[in-house]
Amino acid sequence: MTEAREREISAQSGRKAAKRAAIALAIFVALAALIFWLDPGGLFLWVKALHVVAIIAWMAGMLYLPRLFVYHADVAPGSEQSETFKVMERRLLRVIMNPAMTIAWAVGLWLAWSGGYFMDGWFHAKLACVLALSAVHGMFAKAVRLFAEDRNEKSPRYWRMMNEAPTLLMIAIVVLVIVKPFA
Ligand code: HEM
């Protein structure tokens, strides 16, 4: 199979993955709209459910992407394996992580406004952790670009350590939002 044909097939399946993600989200929103229509008092909880779904998708990417970097940093630039990692990293970032982060932020801020949490200590602490998590997301997005240009200079050990950052932030965020220690 020629390289151009391989790229065409790869782009096609990328489009299919994006379409599947958009359809899943549309089904969720349609179902939520229907149930809200039947029970308007439940809007806050429906929006919170959407928030948690978006967070799961975002975190899945935040935990998996640095693992891909660990393996990618170990193979020769330009090799077939390296090219496969590039496609996996780009798709994970663009199809899953970027949309999931955007939805998590938009919906999370609406929850904070609607629940009147903007003055609460736990919310300030959560916001600080979520800003740090978003900064790590930005760092990973930059690494995807550098890997795509065969310009990564970080070792597999570095990426193994970076793998722990989202995990630690996630634990802190979940404790803050559920226990609400500085209410
Ligand atoms: C992106 C910015 C974010 C904002 C502005 C935000 C804000 C909020 C707000 C206001 C609530 C409602 C709290 C309540 O009603 O008790 C909430 C719920 C929740 N958030 Fe976030 N959040 C964000 C990101 C995250 C992240 C990154 C995680 C996890 C890693 C997370 C996990 C949760 C969970 C588990 C709940 C449900 C808590 C419960 O019902 O007891 N959030 N979020």
Side-chain angles (χ1 to χ4, degrees), residues 44 48 51 55 105 108-109 111-112 117 126 130 173 177 180:
F44 186 86
K48 188 145 79 171
H51 180 65
I55 294 300
W105 264 105
L109 288 174
L111 286 171
Y117 298 128
K126 173 170 172 169
V130 175
I173 292 168
V177 77
K180 296 191 173 60

